[in-house]
Amino acid sequence: MAGLWRGYQVLMTKYPWTVQIVTAGSLVGVGDVISQQLIERRGLANHNVQRTAKMMSIGFFFVGPVIGSWYKVLDRLVVGGTKSAAMKKMLVDQLCFAPCFLGAFLCISGALNGLTVEENVTKLRRDYTDALISNYYLWPPVQIANFYFIPLHHRLAVVQVVAVAWNSYLTWKANKM
């Protein structure tokens, strides 16, 4: 395990953007597999591989680039590594970024699932508030620790490890019709 972590760190140093995107896409996919197998109890025979591929594509092309870029912007907006700066970053992250990100995530997954605009709006009205409240139970303490203890180039990875559980919930919520 230590060897994997060292290899990951070497790759993060050489190719931070690529590694962050691949990590995000892979872990969103893992979250969907967990969602289908443990939450929805589909079993391997009924596993929707196409859905997992869609969720991974959202991870590769939306989650990874958007969150990776957001952390860079946030580091410029709120400078410093103090407890106060970590708290400010968490507040800006959770009050400004998270609501927009969740809405976009749910809309993108709805569009990829073939929902019409009207169906997507109805689904967003039904699921958005639940997802946002659940977000506020999990992410503020994770983000305070992340912003205070973790260097910028590892923040997306920390978030994605915690997000395996979150992604399981979010992919279930996004694919629940």
Side-chain angles (χ1 to χ4, degrees):
M1 194 61 150
L4 279 174
W5 179 246
R6 277 193 299 277
Y8 177 80
Q9 287 181 320
V10 167
L11 288 173
M12 275 296 288
T13 303
K14 287 184 178 180
Y15 313 103
W17 189 246
T18 303
V19 172
Q20 288 177 5
I21 290 170
V22 169
T23 301
S26 301
L27 292 176
V28 170
V30 168
D32 184 64
V33 170
I34 291 169
S35 174
Q36 289 190 54
Q37 297 305 314
L38 299 180
I39 297 171
E40 299 168 37
R41 300 186 184 273
R42 288 177 172 241
L44 293 177
N46 294 318
H47 186 86
N48 185 340
V49 176
Q50 187 177 13
R51 177 180 128 180
T52 300
K54 285 180 195 175
M55 297 311 295
M56 287 179 76
S57 70
I58 293 172
F60 290 132
F61 298 109
F62 176 68
V63 175
V66 169
I67 293 178
S69 298
W70 168 242
Y71 286 155
K72 290 178 184 175
V73 168
L74 189 57
D75 245 34
R76 286 188 215 117
L77 287 174
V78 182
V79 180
T82 64
K83 290 176 189 172
S84 173
M87 180 62 83
K88 288 175 188 172
K89 286 178 186 179
M90 182 277 295
L91 288 170
V92 172
D93 180 65
Q94 291 301 301
L95 296 175
C96 299
F97 178 75
C100 300
F101 177 82
L102 277 173
F105 182 93
L106 291 171
C107 287
I108 290 169
S109 65
L112 287 177
N113 283 329
L115 298 181
T116 65
V117 173
E118 294 81 21
E119 291 168 332
N120 217 350
V121 168
T122 299
K123 184 166 181 11
L124 194 59
R125 284 189 181 132
R126 184 189 76 202
D127 294 341
Y128 178 76
T129 303
D130 269 358
L132 189 60
I133 290 168
S134 298
N135 171 83
Y136 288 144
Y137 279 117
L138 174 65
W139 287 108
V142 170
Q143 292 296 56
I144 289 172
N146 199 24
F147 295 137
Y148 187 64
F149 296 111
I150 307 300
L152 175 62
H153 65 283
H154 287 298
R155 286 187 191 146
L156 182 60
V158 168
V159 164
Q160 288 302 326
V161 169
V162 174
V164 169
W166 175 248
N167 292 340
S168 300
Y169 166 79
L170 202 54
T171 60
W172 168 75
K173 186 61 100 173
N175 288 285
K176 189 175 87 171
M177 295 301 161

